[in-house]
Amino acid sequence: MTRQAYRYALDLNDHQRGLLASHAGAARYAWNWGLRLIVDAIAAHRAGDSSTPIPSARSLHRAWNVWKKGDDGIAWWSEVSKCAPQEAFRDLEIGLRAFWESRAGRRPGPRVRFPRFKKKGRARDRFRLTGAIHVEARHVRLPRLGRLRLCEEATPLLERIQAGAVHISAATVSREAERWYVSFAVEVERAQPASNGHSDTVGVDLGVLALATLSTGEVVLGPRALRSGLRKLCRLSRHHSRCQRGSANRRKASRRLARHHARVAALRRDHLHKLTTMLAKSHGRIVIEDLNVRGMLGNRRLARALSDTGFGELRRLLEYKCRWYGAELVVASRWYPSSKTCSQCGAIRAELSLGERTFRCPDCGLELGRDLNAAINLAGWAHPVVAGSAPETENACPSGGQTAPGAAHHVEAGTEQQRASGSEPTGTTGGRWSRSLICP
Ligand SMILES: [Zn+2]
């Protein structure tokens, strides 16, 4: 069983928009309500009073049910599906557990922060529903919300449902700018082919000027959407910041800004999906570089161009699509000098500035585009010559390979440590840039 999501834009009337907004409000309210109890319980523990346990999602829900009907409870609870607060408590528990695991060092990846209170207008409007969820050709029926129209036909999902191949476990409704989306979390019985019928190896160099350069010589240009839309973005955000706080004009300006951000994000998502599907379907083995995305985003000048192309997202998509279609994804070590190595004779140049777009080899005289040279080197990385420099195999492919599974795992564990120790962002300003551009 694989977990997968199907996401559709919703076509709503004003009444339905109001209904969705109040569900999102209820989820936010319940989150803050539960977080307050948790914070108080932790404070009591610190003060030496351990009589009240830290509440779990289940106990929060029980306390909520008593409280909402009580004297200082809330009047609107009967208008909102009980799932919205219940699922918010579950998220809270998951978030809290992630924080503790991360603090204890049992969780890989970046440090997880303690759950924060959600402020209306700042936190994203979203809520999750479980229970009776029905998908029709052009509609979805959700508990309490009734029948909502989709912007497009849900044919692929519907076919899978009718074939009995999927089970919908939950529906998440969220808002981006002024548009609402529903995302179905499904468990799919998905055949994971051992091979996609291709046996070639392709090296993919991810870059700033071109999103991807393949060792075959193909060049995939990055989504220029953000860059071309950047002037408009600047204009909109300048206008926004000049409007009087709290004024109607400022509200209008911020809606326009949010809409533009959402449009750019959608274009980027679409582009990355197309590129990664093409790669996973048409090549047997794909070698990419292990880019330290967070570290690179510390560099302010590169940050905008990098987050524009969405490297981290690209790798995430490639990882699961390679599993789906039967390609093998290999991530070359971060320390492999793919740009500085000559792809013809193997000589390594000591220095290569970012501005040099052509690789010139002093030993054999090779002249090649910088990105293409790096891509060819990455393709060669799949067959390492040097002992002990086995590539990090991202997904175990049964028919796959030349590296023993044991060796790959060993290397993987090593890189995990490198990731934990060496991937702190270097600059705070860079971080700010990247956040605002990655999550518009
Ligand atoms: Zn050379």
Side-chain angles (χ1 to χ4, degrees), residues 258-275:
R259 222 169 20 232
H260 189 62
H261 263 302
R263 196 185 98 85
V264 165
L267 280 167
R268 176 169 59 211
R269 199 160 42 224
D270 185 48
H271 192 91
L272 287 179
H273 269 294
K274 281 180 186 147
L275 169 67

Side-chain angles (χ1 to χ4, degrees), residues 6-295:
Y6 286 85
R7 188 166 180 264
Y8 297 98
L10 291 166
D11 181 12
L12 305 169
N13 60 33
D14 284 349
H15 171 69
Q16 291 168 329
R17 280 172 189 281
L19 219 53
L20 261 51
S22 58
H23 272 77
R28 188 175 53 237
Y29 190 94
W31 168 282
N32 289 338
W33 185 90
L35 185 54
R36 172 52 55 206
L37 290 194
I38 289 172
V39 168
D40 288 349
I42 292 175
H45 274 251
R46 284 229 180 96
D49 168 24
S50 52
S51 58
T52 43
I54 312 279
S56 65
R58 189 183 289 229
S59 58
L60 281 175
H61 190 227
R62 231 180 289 131
W64 168 265
N65 280 338
V66 174
W67 174 81
K68 73 182 182 187
K69 294 175 196 171
D71 293 337
D72 29 289
I74 36 173
W76 43 260
W77 63 267
S78 61
E79 292 155 29
V80 175
S81 163
K82 66 178 179 2
C83 287
Q86 193 174 354
E87 293 296 309
F89 295 142
R90 277 199 192 133
D91 287 344
L92 198 49
E93 188 183 299
I94 292 167
L96 200 62
R97 191 165 294 155
F99 165 73
W100 276 323
E101 297 267 301
S102 174
R103 202 173 60 163
R106 288 195 300 269
R107 189 189 158 94
R111 281 283 287 270
V112 177
R113 294 220 265 176
F114 189 78
R116 275 171 291 175
F117 288 96
K118 295 186 175 184
K119 194 162 177 267
K120 184 177 180 180
R122 303 288 286 177
R124 191 139 176 243
D125 278 347
R126 71 189 308 160
F127 59 94
R128 192 165 62 234
L129 301 175
T130 52
I133 297 162
H134 297 286
V135 180
E136 297 166 15
R138 193 72 198 256
H139 292 85
V140 55
R141 260 187 294 138
L142 295 173
R144 272 275 161 196
L145 297 170
R147 202 154 169 266
L148 306 177
R149 189 175 150 84
L150 305 174
C151 283
E152 58 179 313
E153 287 184 10
T155 322
L157 175 58
L158 204 58
E159 277 170 4
R160 287 222 158 101
I161 292 173
Q162 280 158 356
V166 299
H167 166 71
I168 297 183
S169 52
T172 301
V173 181
S174 61
R175 187 175 63 83
E176 253 174 48
E178 263 140 55
R179 184 164 280 186
W180 286 90
Y181 293 87
V182 61
S183 172
F184 301 104
V186 299
E187 276 163 14
V188 193
E189 204 69 77
R190 213 185 162 103
Q192 301 209 345
S195 157
N196 60 3
H198 298 274
S199 57
D200 64 326
T201 296
V202 68
V204 182
D205 178 72
L206 303 171
V208 176
L209 292 179
L211 171 59
T213 305
L214 312 189
S215 55
T216 55
E218 248 175 291
V219 176
V220 182
L221 288 177
R224 298 302 202 90
L226 188 56
R227 253 157 295 166
S228 61
L230 204 60
R231 194 177 290 169
K232 185 171 175 187
L233 204 65
C234 287
R235 185 164 56 78
L236 289 176
S237 89
R238 201 164 47 229
H239 178 67
H240 173 254
S241 58
R242 279 178 187 166
C243 289
Q244 181 97 43
R245 263 170 200 278
S247 70
N249 273 338
R250 184 159 170 127
R251 256 198 314 281
K252 258 189 276 176
S254 87
R255 268 208 297 274
R256 266 201 299 273
L257 187 61
R259 222 169 20 232
H260 189 62
H261 263 302
R263 196 185 98 85
V264 165
L267 280 167
R268 176 169 59 211
R269 199 160 42 224
D270 185 48
H271 192 91
L272 287 179
H273 269 294
K274 281 180 186 147
L275 169 67
T276 47
T277 303
M278 182 277 280
L279 285 172
K281 276 186 173 172
S282 51
H283 298 284
R285 179 180 300 180
I286 301 154
V287 193
I288 59 169
E289 221 171 338
D290 181 13
L291 282 168
N292 178 4
V293 176
R294 294 218 305 149

